[in-house]
Amino acid sequence: MNVLDYTWLIILAPFAGFLINGLFGKYLSGRTVGLIGSFAPLISFIISSMIFIKFTGTDPHPPFEVEIFTWFAAGKIHVPVAYLFDTLSLVMIMVVTGVGTIIHFYSIGYMKGETGIARYFAYLNLFIFFMLNLVLADNLILMFLGWEGVGLCSYLLIGYYYETGYAPAAGLKAFIVNRIGDMGFLIGIFLVVANFGTVHFGELSSIVSTGPVNTALMTGITLMFFAGATGKSAQIPLYIWLPDAMAGPTPVSALIHAATMVTAGVYMITRLNFLYVLAPASMAAVAVAGGATALFAATIGIMQMDIKKVLAYSTISQLGYMFMAVGVGAFSAGIFHLVTHAFFKALLFLGSGSVIYALHHEQDMRGMGGLMKKLPVTFFTFLTGTLAISGTPFFSGFFSKDEILWRVYNYNFYLWCAGLLAAAITSFYMFRLVFLTFSGKPRFHEHDNHTIHESPVIMTIPLVILAVLSVAAGALGIPHILDMFHTGNIFEHFLARSVADTAVTVYGNNTEWMITGISVAAALTGFLAAFKIYWKNRYVPGDDSTITGLKKVIYNKYYVDELYRHTIISGTISFSKTVYRYFDILIIDGLVNGTGRVILRTGERMRSMQTGVVHDYMFSMILGVTLLLMYILADKFL
């Protein structure tokens, strides 16, 4: 069997799961629905793995495209539904289907007993379908279809608890903010079509690599695409939707807001790297925005009390690292951190879900504590994820984050300082989370003490798998200075077949050792600060009324949401009301209603001529005929 003949199943399997659960789920048991929903991405993962193995063999198969059918053609533009299989897309589909499958199986246990379980798994499968279209698309239009599709599914899944007030509002917020960024993406596509006459990645790459380069045009196009990326990947200034998106079920947070959808912007920039390398200003904008986001979001994470909100701001911060990497031209480092982040952040979200599940949906860390012995598997796996994200040596996050910091250091010292400070803060707030949640005396209700127990096996096995991956994945990107077996950076070499790094690389000097040592010291500093405050001193934050000063500003997320509400949102509403009052009512409605009134009054005047008296009609006929004859005679004789 040639596995390449079955690539279409990668896309079709989750869509089939969506149709089955969406149409017939109400007739099936919750367990059956969960198994159907979980095996759909598993089939995609198995086929993806077989293709991946074929690519990594001694005689690797070259990149290839699979065209399913022609979507539409307009003039010179031909847009097929076609999928590109190269090393970049293979890495992405392995993450999407692999982590997606784990989260689906976890959801069977977490969502047990919930109403609307068929709807939940149908939406999850549909999300996987659109995400696979996004990362496998061989052209911008099909990518945009997947881009919009994951936005729609995100809205549906965030608002899963639609009977509450906050979940639908959070879903709507995510949808609207993403539409702002998506407008930039759409303008970028229009500019590409207008100037290059194609949306196919291969053709576009050939055109820009052989023809003269208009730097201003390239900068405009890439900045428009970057606007789309800031929305989908929650970067400044469009990051505000992601923390609110925690209103959805915890597995949704793990899938959409840690492992897949939010990384779409990083993937898109990497896929279009041949455009970005021709626009240095855009690359700089990407790097600076990433550094600012990484540091800004990390500071907010320090004061959050909701366990999922801490992880949400952590996600924003880690995405900032990825943007820094691709912004300085270290595309392989950015994608490598995308992969390791998918493992340890999915682990952390699912671990938080296990805690929330045990505490009967308590999410405030001030109501936790003392869970280390009651949830041993959750604790040790969560600690593994924390060590990974904090950059602890020999965990996956250490290798990927250290590679980014090293590349950024070679690009700009001040940007490196921002990344280093964000790394120290990340270590602090993550260990703060661990200590407040698992150590100290229990702070939950006394009657819950006897009911709290470890999550079922269907939930703990995914935690163990992700914990192993959070450690082992780092071996794929061993840096040069630690390459004792001279294997090289396996991940970078694999990805180089599709994406070429442009970042400055300096190997074999003491500076790299120094940078690595400083990054480890930063992580250790963050840990020691959290250890002293939250473990040794057993400090537990008080209620909201006790938070004052700068802490209150950070706790309220620098009032960015309030600033948007009182400027952009209020301004837009006021402007809309003014336009409605003076344009819609006076001009539009005035024209429509005025036309109606003219016709009505004309009809009333003409109606008065219909008297119903026969001799009046005879008189009108004689008068009309007389006037007509006079006109004819005058025309003839005068």
Side-chain angles (χ1 to χ4, degrees):
M1 181 187 77
N2 185 1
V3 69
L4 301 182
D5 295 332
Y6 295 91
T7 53
W8 54 273
L9 268 175
I10 297 175
I11 301 291
L12 185 62
F15 188 70
F18 159 70
L19 290 178
I20 294 171
N21 280 331
L23 295 175
F24 309 108
K26 62 182 179 180
Y27 305 111
L28 305 173
S29 66
R31 186 172 184 83
T32 302
V33 165
L35 290 174
I36 291 172
S38 301
F39 275 100
L42 179 60
I43 293 172
S44 299
F45 174 69
I46 291 171
I47 299 174
S48 299
S49 301
M50 295 171 70
I51 298 175
F52 186 85
I53 293 170
K54 197 174 185 67
F55 266 73
T56 55
T58 55
D59 183 21
H61 194 284
F64 65 95
E65 296 182 8
V66 177
E67 182 171 338
I68 308 300
F69 59 87
T70 297
W71 186 1
F72 67 88
K76 296 181 180 180
I77 304 297
H78 172 255
V79 181
V81 174
Y83 301 110
L84 172 63
F85 289 84
D86 62 0
T87 53
L88 176 59
S89 62
L90 275 177
V91 168
M92 293 302 297
I93 63 173
M94 289 293 290
V95 171
V96 172
T97 60
V99 176
T101 299
I102 292 172
I103 293 171
H104 275 70
F105 277 103
Y106 176 96
S107 296
I108 295 176
Y110 187 87
M111 300 298 290
K112 184 178 180 181
E114 293 275 6
T115 58
I117 192 71
R119 173 168 55 90
Y120 171 82
F121 277 99
Y123 290 163
L124 279 188
N125 284 172
L126 185 63
F127 173 83
I128 294 291
F129 166 75
F130 279 122
M131 189 67 194
L132 289 172
N133 273 279
L134 191 159
V135 300
L136 285 174
D138 82 333
N139 62 79
L140 285 166
I141 303 297
L142 186 58
M143 175 185 275
F144 189 69
L145 171 70
W147 190 274
E148 291 298 289
V150 295
L152 170 64
C153 293
S154 177
Y155 163 75
L156 295 172
L157 287 164
I158 294 169
Y160 174 77
Y161 298 116
Y162 62 89
E163 294 179 346
T164 65
Y166 59 86
L172 185 61
K173 183 177 182 180
F175 194 79
I176 292 174
V177 172
N178 272 274
R179 295 295 74 72
I180 297 171
D182 294 351
M183 180 58 67
F185 193 121
L186 201 56
I187 294 173
I189 294 176
F190 292 157
L191 290 173
V192 167
V193 172
N195 289 278
F196 301 108
T198 182
V199 292
H200 187 277
F201 296 134
E203 294 175 0
L204 188 58
S205 178
S206 298
I207 292 172
V208 299
S209 62
T210 58
V213 177
N214 184 332
T215 304
L217 174 63
M218 288 298 178
T219 301
I221 291 173
T222 50
L223 285 178
M224 287 298 100
F225 284 126
F226 176 52
T230 59
K232 199 66 71 184
S233 294
Q235 297 295 286
I236 291 174
L238 299 180
Y239 70 92
I240 55 172
W241 67 270
L242 195 145
D244 293 71
M246 299 302 109
T250 303
V252 170
S253 303
L255 177 65
I256 298 180
H257 308 119
T260 51
M261 173 181 155
V262 294
T263 61
V266 180
Y267 167 77
M268 183 262 285
I269 291 176
T270 305
R271 173 58 72 192
L272 298 177
N273 69 92
F274 52 86
L275 295 180
Y276 277 88
V277 296
L278 300 176
S282 295
M283 294 280 282
V286 171
V288 171
T293 303
L295 182 57
F296 181 76
T299 60
I300 298 177
I302 294 174
M303 286 300 299
Q304 296 306 300
M305 304 302 174
D306 186 311
I307 187 171
K308 288 175 65 176
K309 287 289 182 69
V310 175
L311 297 178
Y313 282 102
S314 171
T315 296
I316 298 171
S317 182
Q318 296 304 307
L319 288 166
Y321 277 100
M322 299 175 208
F323 273 84
M324 275 199 294
V326 297
V328 303
F331 298 105
S332 61
I335 297 298
F336 183 43
H337 195 57
L338 182 155
V339 173
T340 60
H341 176 264
F343 296 146
F344 59 68
K345 186 51 65 65
L347 169 61
L348 291 169
F349 267 116
L350 296 187
S352 70
S354 183
V355 171
I356 294 168
Y357 181 87
L359 294 179
H360 312 292
H361 299 284
E362 173 64 66
Q363 295 186 195
D364 194 318
M365 294 184 294
R366 292 170 291 193
M368 299 180 183
L371 294 174
M372 186 186 305
K373 294 181 179 180
K374 288 186 173 293
L375 308 175
V377 177
T378 299
F379 167 68
F380 283 110
T381 54
F382 197 96
L383 180 62
T384 302
T386 300
L387 292 169
I389 194 175
S390 300
T392 306
F394 307 111
F395 287 77
S396 61
F398 163 75
F399 294 106
S400 58
K401 188 182 294 185
D402 182 70
E403 178 73 11
I404 292 174
L405 289 174
W406 169 238
R407 298 296 186 95
V408 171
Y409 177 81
N410 286 320
Y411 178 82
N412 184 277
F413 174 77
Y414 298 104
L415 197 59
W416 171 77
C417 289
L420 186 68
L421 183 56
I425 296 173
T426 298
S427 179
F428 173 79
Y429 68 66
M430 284 306 305
F431 281 104
R432 167 183 178 267
L433 186 157
V434 170
F435 295 144
L436 285 177
T437 302
F438 294 100
S439 68
K441 296 181 179 179
R443 298 182 296 278
F444 40 81
H445 295 297
E446 186 66 30
H447 62 81
D448 290 336
N449 191 47
H450 302 292
T451 62
I452 295 174
H453 55 79
E454 186 60 86
S455 300
V457 175
I458 194 69
M459 293 172 63
T460 54
I461 290 180
L463 297 180
V464 173
I465 294 173
L466 288 170
V468 172
L469 291 172
S470 296
V471 178
L476 298 175
I478 300 294
H480 176 78
I481 58 173
L482 297 177
D483 188 13
M484 295 180 294
F485 300 102
H486 305 290
T487 59
N489 191 314
I490 298 173
F491 188 88
E492 182 179 337
H493 293 162
F494 178 74
L495 204 63
R497 293 189 235 170
S498 303
V499 181
D501 284 351
T502 60
V504 175
T505 304
V506 181
Y507 290 133
N509 57 43
N510 293 331
T511 305
E512 190 173 358
W513 279 107
M514 181 188 72
I515 298 302
T516 301
I518 292 174
S519 65
V520 172
L524 181 61
T525 301
F527 163 74
L528 291 175
F531 179 82
K532 178 176 176 57
I533 297 171
Y534 298 101
W535 177 279
K536 191 174 181 179
N537 295 340
R538 299 299 184 189
Y539 172 72
V540 178
D543 58 33
D544 294 354
S545 62
T546 63
I547 303 174
T548 59
L550 180 59
K551 289 183 178 180
K552 186 175 183 180
V553 174
I554 299 175
Y555 178 70
N556 287 287
K557 301 155 285 188
Y558 297 102
Y559 297 101
V560 173
D561 282 281
E562 288 79 4
L563 177 65
Y564 282 179
R565 187 178 305 117
H566 290 100
T567 55
I568 298 175
I569 297 174
S570 296
T572 302
I573 293 174
S574 298
F575 175 74
S576 300
K577 287 181 177 179
T578 302
V579 171
Y580 168 73
R581 186 179 301 114
Y582 294 106
F583 186 76
D584 278 15
I585 294 179
L586 293 181
I587 299 178
I588 303 299
D589 290 352
L591 287 173
V592 173
N593 296 333
T595 303
R597 283 193 291 268
V598 169
I599 294 173
L600 181 61
R601 289 174 182 174
T602 302
E604 289 176 347
R605 295 290 184 273
M606 295 184 68
R607 184 179 62 182
S608 64
M609 298 172 61
Q610 306 297 321
T611 63
V613 180
V614 175
H615 64 262
D616 287 346
Y617 296 153
M618 291 296 295
F619 173 77
S620 298
M621 289 176 62
I622 294 170
L623 179 61
V625 170
T626 302
L627 292 174
L628 182 61
L629 288 172
M630 291 174 63
Y631 173 78
I632 295 173
L633 291 173
D635 184 60
K636 182 175 182 180
F637 294 106
L638 296 179

